[in-house]
Amino acid sequence: MNADHGDSGVFERFRSELTKRGIEEAAKRVLWMPSKTSASDHLRDFNSVDCSLDTFPYSGTTTTCESLAMGVPVVTLLGKEHRQNVSASILGAANMPPEWVAEDSEQ
């Protein structure tokens, strides 16, 4: 984890939330990466990623496609509105495993 760029306060709040929710091991493994100035540098960062967590409540589109293009699995949570299910649609269309789409927060 490297928070020496950008807003380290945001990074620390995110880590704190992971820890409060009982996933402290994940909090130790989260990478906080700075914005990139080129698309190739941005995509190269995916080489450091084991799994992408979809955003919520507004589901990703570009980042989901980028993750899949770079061979990185994406985990998403279904919602009640279209804007919350875009990644689930992309994952389904790409024939990804159904386990990548959680139906509720417990799953």
Side-chain angles (χ1 to χ4, degrees), residues 44-69:
R44 194 173 300 114
D45 277 347
F46 282 93
N47 294 324
S48 301
V49 176
D50 296 321
C51 177
S52 290
L53 300 177
D54 193 21
T55 55
F56 186 85
Y58 192 95
S59 185
T61 303
T62 303
T63 53
T64 297
C65 292
E66 289 171 340
S67 292
L68 295 178

Side-chain angles (χ1 to χ4, degrees), residues 28-49:
K28 294 176 186 174
R29 297 184 61 204
V30 170
L31 297 175
W32 190 263
M33 297 178 176
S35 297
K36 302 298 185 217
T37 56
S38 74
S40 60
D41 286 344
H42 167 69
L43 292 174
R44 194 173 300 114
D45 277 347
F46 282 93
N47 294 324
S48 301
V49 176

Side-chain angles (χ1 to χ4, degrees), residues 43-106:
L43 292 174
R44 194 173 300 114
D45 277 347
F46 282 93
N47 294 324
S48 301
V49 176
D50 296 321
C51 177
S52 290
L53 300 177
D54 193 21
T55 55
F56 186 85
Y58 192 95
S59 185
T61 303
T62 303
T63 53
T64 297
C65 292
E66 289 171 340
S67 292
L68 295 178
M70 296 304 293
V72 176
V74 178
V75 176
T76 189
L77 173 64
L78 284 179
K80 295 179 180 172
E81 302 173 28
H82 167 75
R83 67 186 176 105
Q84 298 170 323
N85 298 313
V86 175
S87 288
S89 295
I90 292 169
L91 294 173
N95 294 315
M96 294 297 118
E99 295 83 16
W100 292 8
V101 180
E103 294 183 15
D104 57 48
S105 59
E106 288 300 314

